[in-house]
Amino acid sequence: MDGYAVRLADLAAGNALPVAGKAFAGQPFQGEWPAGSCIRIMTGAPVPAGCDAVVMQEETEQTDDGVRFIASVKPGQNIRRSGRTLPWARPSSRRAPG
């Protein structure tokens, strides 16, 4: 899912956040993540260190000052940690037909 990596503390004031960088699959965000900013993150990208949640782009608005978040954000939202097994990804004990 495409969206923005955020730290909950940075959202507390309700202000738009400037974008400090981008993270892509195979090209993680590199460098310092300044306080009071967010990181643009694309599907399959590693979550930047210090990220509390990922907000879908559909739940944001672009402004002259940066990105404004228009929906509530919860800790761990839209984050899938590496190595986590999802119910649909478990190996099946059923044999394939044929």
Side-chain angles (χ1 to χ4, degrees), residues 43-63:
T43 302
V47 176
C51 174
D52 295 318
V54 174
V55 181
M56 295 188 304
Q57 65 186 4
E58 293 85 357
E59 296 177 342
T60 66
E61 290 178 346
Q62 299 294 317
T63 72

Side-chain angles (χ1 to χ4, degrees), residues 11-92:
L11 298 175
N15 300 326
L17 301 180
V19 177
K22 297 179 182 178
F24 298 94
Q27 274 189 311
F29 172 75
Q30 307 253 334
E32 187 177 329
W33 183 1
S37 65
C38 60
I39 297 173
R40 181 77 165 123
I41 189 166
M42 305 301 179
T43 302
V47 176
C51 174
D52 295 318
V54 174
V55 181
M56 295 188 304
Q57 65 186 4
E58 293 85 357
E59 296 177 342
T60 66
E61 290 178 346
Q62 299 294 317
T63 72
D64 291 339
D65 297 323
V67 180
R68 191 167 79 83
F69 299 88
I70 58 176
S72 63
V73 181
K74 297 178 183 169
Q77 178 176 312
N78 299 316
I79 295 177
R80 302 286 181 264
R81 300 290 178 198
S82 180
R84 182 174 171 200
T85 301
L86 301 174
W88 50 265
R90 291 189 192 137
S92 173

